[in-house]
Amino acid sequence: DLLLPDRLLTALREARHVTVFTGAGVSAESGVPTFRDAHTGLWARFDPAALATPEAFAADPALVWGWYEWRRARVMRAAPNPAHRAIAALARHVPALSVITQNVDDLHERAGSTGVAHLHGRLMQPRCSVCGQPWRYPPGMPDEPAAGRRVTPPDCPRCAGPIRPGVVWFGEPLPADEWQRAMAATAGCDLFITVGTSALVYPAAQLPQVAAEQGARVLQLNPQPTALDTIADWNLLGPAGTLLPALVH
Ligand code: BJW
């Protein structure tokens, strides 16, 4: 059994509004690779500038679309893990729960969380890169293209522009409504739990700082040290799939 500090248990029991902020680490135990982990992270094998920018898509749409199709197929084959399920269950234990994620997968929703703010968009909701019209995938499980295989993006039925992944690339603004909801949930909570993020990508990485400045206690769950170690009131070192179920029972 995990030994939790008394003050943390009290903060959790007395919290009126808990906000959970997640990054790629919360999906790691579902088999979805993180970005920056040294050997297993996506960026250990692929250059972010070559894939996760509007310039990369403009230069080589099939390379970028193929990479996201590979990741989408992997996410569709993955299942929520005990961390996603514990976050969904937490909603039944506290008066108010907000969930903010940087992840583009849908594993929080598949675990039962609702109203999740997706700061970096959604893998499953592509749109036209020219006119913005949402585009729907045909039903069914896609073939998993080999990592690095080019796949020509579909054409928009309205304007014939290339369809792009529904994610937020470097240099692009975050979706305004989801950012606003995230800021409100951050400023309004009394306990802010940050899980599985390196907190290196802005503006999302500001949120724990904002929470602390607004008077919330900050709990960090991560197996590694991060940029947030000095901001957090408590740092629990370990995998989310072990720590979160221990907190929520
Ligand atoms: C476990 C675990 C287990 C492992 N359990 N944990 C201020 C300063 C400097 C730069 C900037 C700044 N403000 C903006 C910028 C530029 C840029 C930026 O932040 N750059 C930094 C890298 C320096 N930001 C942007 O460009 C943003 N846009 C913007 O600012 O727009 C301004 C604008 C306004 C108006 C008009 C136009 C523009 C957009 C950022 C978008 C980021 N997108 C990505 C890709 C999404 C698509 C895709 O999926 O491909 O989002 S980047 C990538 O990083 C992805 C993630 O959501 C994001 C965060 O990563 P995360 O989740 O933290 O993952 P990792 O891998 O870093 O960490 C995993 C963690 O898990 C580790 O700590 C592990 O230890 C841990 N872990 N196993 C728990 N089992």
Side-chain angles (χ1 to χ4, degrees):
D1 259 10
L2 200 69
L3 195 60
L4 298 170
D6 281 347
R7 286 183 186 193
L8 168 57
L9 290 171
T10 305
L12 192 58
R13 207 168 35 238
E14 292 178 354
R16 282 155 300 140
H17 182 170
V18 176
T19 292
V20 179
F21 172 59
T22 67
V26 82
S27 297
E29 290 159 82
S30 294
V32 179
T34 65
F35 293 90
R36 296 174 185 79
D37 282 306
H39 300 292
T40 55
L42 290 166
W43 299 154
R45 289 176 285 163
F46 305 101
D47 174 8
L51 293 162
T53 67
E55 293 76 19
F57 183 71
D60 194 343
L63 174 71
V64 174
W65 182 258
W67 189 62
Y68 282 94
E69 280 297 278
W70 168 67
R71 287 177 48 200
R72 181 175 73 99
R74 294 191 61 153
V75 166
M76 287 178 78
R77 283 169 178 75
N81 68 55
H84 299 104
R85 288 198 292 273
I87 293 167
L90 187 57
R92 296 189 290 274
H93 288 79
V94 297
L97 178 77
S98 302
V99 182
I100 306 169
T101 189
Q102 300 167 82
N103 298 345
V104 298
D105 67 50
D106 58 356
L107 295 174
H108 283 303
E109 283 82 1
R110 280 156 60 193
S113 286
T114 54
V116 180
H118 277 265
L119 298 183
H120 294 159
R122 294 170 168 83
L123 213 42
M124 309 299 166
Q125 295 183 13
R127 65 176 186 274
C128 176
S129 62
V130 177
C131 75
Q133 168 100 331
W135 189 83
R136 274 178 201 282
Y137 284 107
M141 190 62 95
D143 289 336
E144 182 172 329
R149 196 184 85 186
R150 286 179 160 70
V151 179
T152 303
D155 292 335
C156 174
R158 191 161 78 177
C159 79
I163 300 300
R164 60 161 283 174
V167 303
V168 180
W169 284 323
F170 287 112
E172 294 186 316
L174 273 51
D177 52 330
E178 314 221 24
W179 176 246
Q180 237 125 61
R181 282 202 290 129
M183 281 295 268
T186 298
C189 71
D190 33 38
L191 179 62
F192 186 94
I193 308 180
T194 171
V195 187
T197 178
S198 60
L200 295 172
V201 174
Y202 285 83
Q206 264 170 235
L207 293 175
Q209 180 77 57
V210 170
E213 283 163 9
Q214 299 295 313
R217 315 305 294 275
V218 177
L219 165 63
Q220 171 167 244
L221 311 178
N222 198 307
Q224 301 288 332
T226 78
L228 301 176
D229 291 0
T230 54
I231 292 170
D233 295 280
W234 302 282
N235 286 298
L236 298 185
L237 284 173
T242 305
L243 296 178
L244 273 162
L247 275 176
V248 184
H249 67 249

